[in-house]
Amino acid sequence: MDHFARLGLPAALDLDAAALDRAYFALQRQWHPDRFVAKPPEDRVRASAEAASVNEAYRTLKDPLSRAFYMAGMAGVDLPGDGKTIDDPDLLMEAMEAREALHDADTPEAVDKLAVEARQDVHKALAELASLFLANDRAAIRKTLLRLRYLDKFAEEARARRMNIDRSNA
Amino acid sequence: MAYSEKLIDHYENPRNIGSFDKTAEDVGTGLVGAPACGDVMKLQIKVGADGLIEDAKFKTFGCGSAIASSSLVTEWVKGKTIDEAETIKNTDIARHLALPPVKIHCSVLAEDAIKAAIADYRSKATKKAE
């Protein structure tokens, strides 16, 4: 059973966050170990396995990027794993230029501006991804997900850069 | 985790940071990335009329091991022919810097970067010859 089915939700990228929370908390209650203390051992084992699956499903689907990668796996999109390299020039040039701009940004305002732009790019890319999943365009899904990986990394680096600037100004 | 002195030295005093004009005929550019960790590495070689790599530059955004791996490769390739430079293996880089197992992929990135730079230089040379 896939993570969406596990939570009784449609397999969609633009999952309703509130519906996801509701489904998760309901199932968590249903399989909570406290409700199985007086039950036979096989029921207790089952409940703990169900609870673990529900937790994993929730963890995977809660974050939009992680959800997108999971859906890509379901759709059979081939993504490079740990230690695999890529040489897509457009994507890497964009990532390189963004990181250079961040490196040169030396005020909190300059860093925030770049971070805001990157967040907008993430939203746009996620919206594109939703229609790419509908069209099952695997090559484009792959490319967009790799771009999202780099945008996500950029956001992380922007937070670190911001903290460094704040600390040196303090 | 304990890092080797060589690795720390390359990380703290990286050699050959910078860029060449990527459109120049005597320059080969390799741009590679490891999406799983969000690293991006640019490695460039400048090849002299005698066929030897006379200079190399790099720019890497990534962890210390990725920076050290690319720094080391730019040092190694200088004075070599492109055929010699092409034989550099990630295992040589990893061994020299004593990279911990979880950082082996950084040396893979550096090997792929120099190979890509050489391929770029060769394709320019072929076009020029045509």
Side-chain angles (χ1 to χ4, degrees):
Chain A
M1 199 190 301
D2 71 59
H3 291 331
F4 290 100
R6 173 81 55 197
L7 298 174
L9 295 165
L13 189 62
D14 52 354
L15 202 58
D16 177 19
L20 176 65
D21 285 346
R22 275 197 304 276
Y24 170 63
F25 292 122
L27 284 163
Q28 209 194 28
R29 266 195 308 278
Q30 183 185 330
W31 297 109
H32 198 280
D34 289 356
R35 302 171 68 130
F36 291 84
V37 274
K39 297 280 166 62
E42 59 268 29
D43 287 5
R44 290 207 298 271
V45 169
R46 159 107 201 270
S48 107
E50 292 282 349
S53 306
V54 167
N55 281 332
E56 200 202 331
Y58 182 69
R59 253 201 319 276
T60 308
L61 300 184
K62 179 88 177 142
D63 172 61
L65 197 55
S66 146
R67 189 191 310 149
F69 274 91
Y70 178 70
M71 284 182 69
M74 286 171 71
V77 175
D78 182 33
L79 285 161
D82 286 344
K84 289 285 177 294
T85 64
I86 56 163
D87 60 359
D88 181 325
D90 301 337
L91 175 67
L92 293 170
M93 194 57 84
E94 182 192 50
M96 179 65 87
E97 282 170 358
R99 298 288 290 275
E100 280 171 349
L102 182 62
H103 182 80
D104 294 340
D106 46 14
T107 63
E109 294 75 24
V111 173
D112 288 350
K113 184 169 176 283
L114 293 172
V116 166
E117 284 166 10
R119 256 199 305 277
Q120 287 165 348
D121 283 348
V122 168
H123 285 303
K124 256 186 270 174
L126 282 172
E128 280 164 27
L129 208 48
S131 47
L132 294 175
F133 273 119
L134 289 176
N136 201 26
D137 184 346
R138 291 201 188 92
I141 292 171
R142 179 180 190 276
K143 183 159 181 156
T144 307
L145 278 176
L146 293 180
R147 184 162 174 255
L148 277 164
R149 261 278 156 79
Y150 276 98
L151 287 169
D152 192 48
K153 180 71 182 181
F154 180 87
E156 186 189 321
E157 292 295 320
R159 280 192 294 276
R161 178 99 183 113
R162 180 68 210 256
M163 277 203 295
N164 270 334
I165 292 177
D166 289 348
R167 208 175 298 147
S168 57
N169 289 346
Chain B
M1 189 162 20
Y3 286 112
S4 72
E5 272 173 41
K6 281 176 186 162
L7 192 155
I8 293 167
D9 180 37
H10 271 282
Y11 174 61
E12 288 182 345
N13 312 292
R15 322 320 189 236
N16 310 309
I17 285 192
S19 294
F20 298 128
D21 173 9
K22 68 168 191 264
T23 62
E25 273 174 4
D26 59 347
V27 169
T29 301
L31 184 60
V32 294
C37 47
D39 288 359
V40 52
M41 181 182 289
K42 182 174 76 174
L43 205 148
Q44 295 182 298
I45 50 169
K46 189 178 226 178
V47 184
D50 54 3
L52 298 180
I53 296 173
E54 60 183 38
D55 205 357
K57 298 248 183 248
F58 84 95
K59 207 168 221 188
T60 294
F61 291 100
C63 65
S65 300
I67 291 166
S69 296
S70 35
S71 169
L72 177 67
V73 167
T74 57
E75 270 200 332
W76 274 359
V77 297
K78 279 197 212 179
K80 285 194 163 77
T81 65
I82 54 174
D83 288 342
E84 286 164 355
E86 204 176 21
T87 63
I88 291 174
K89 290 271 169 301
N90 88 284
T91 45
D92 303 333
I93 302 165
R95 199 177 312 124
H96 185 85
L97 296 173
L99 292 182
V102 294
K103 293 292 179 184
I104 297 298
H105 66 273
C106 299
S107 62
V108 174
L109 200 58
E111 180 191 323
D112 288 355
I114 183 64
K115 289 215 158 77
I118 291 168
D120 180 54
Y121 173 78
R122 284 207 179 112
S123 90
K124 276 183 185 170
T126 316
K127 267 190 205 129
K128 195 182 158 193
E130 274 167 5

